[in-house]
């Protein structure tokens, strides 16, 4: 599968965020103006958020009205139902999911 260069970019950003923080998940989103936001999962005793949830929240709190794409990099199973719902609510039809090496999963 050949990816659009902009989709490859958000996978790279998600991989970098995950590696930088040594996190289980990394995610990146692209909003309707082309701005990108990356994040990792948060796992505190008082707060647990997926990387997708953090990236989406960052985009929305920065003024994004919709998202063009969402990428998740994980060694785990993939996006949760909550991740998919957040992406869908903002106009994304499918999340891009890749392994830690950046290989896109079907």
């Amino acid at each position: 599968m050949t990816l659009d260069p902009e989709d490859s970019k958000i996978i790279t950003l998600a991989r970098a965020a995950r590696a930088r923080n040594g996190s289980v998940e990394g995610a990146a989103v692209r909003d309707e103006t082309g701005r990108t936001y990356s994040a990792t999962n948060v796992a505190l005793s008082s707060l647990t958020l997926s990387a997708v949830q953090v990236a989406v929240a960052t985009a929305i709190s920065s003024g994004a009205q919709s998202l063009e794409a969402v990428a998740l990099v994980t060694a785990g199973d993939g996006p949760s139902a909550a991740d998919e719902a957040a992406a869908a609510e903002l106009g994304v039809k499918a999340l891009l999911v890749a392994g830690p090496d950046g290989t896109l999963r079907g």
Side-chain angles (χ1 to χ4, degrees):
M1 170 190 245
T2 302
L3 277 180
D4 175 277
E6 293 299 313
D7 290 343
S8 292
K9 177 182 171 183
I10 63 171
I11 289 172
T12 299
L13 290 170
R15 285 183 69 209
R18 181 181 179 272
R20 181 176 52 251
N21 291 345
S23 299
V24 174
E25 297 179 338
V29 301
R30 184 176 62 249
D31 73 10
E32 75 279 3
T33 67
R35 292 178 298 185
T36 57
Y37 307 88
S38 61
T40 61
N41 60 297
V42 173
L44 303 173
S45 59
S46 61
L47 178 66
T48 302
L49 297 169
S50 72
V52 169
Q53 290 169 328
V54 176
V56 167
T58 301
I60 295 302
S61 67
S62 296
Q65 300 296 309
S66 64
L67 298 177
E68 292 180 349
V70 176
L72 171 65
V73 173
T74 182
D77 295 333
S80 68
D83 292 341
E84 291 174 345
E89 185 172 343
L90 294 169
V92 175
K93 303 217 183 329
L95 276 82
L96 300 169
V97 181
D101 65 354
T103 302
L104 198 60
R105 295 184 192 168

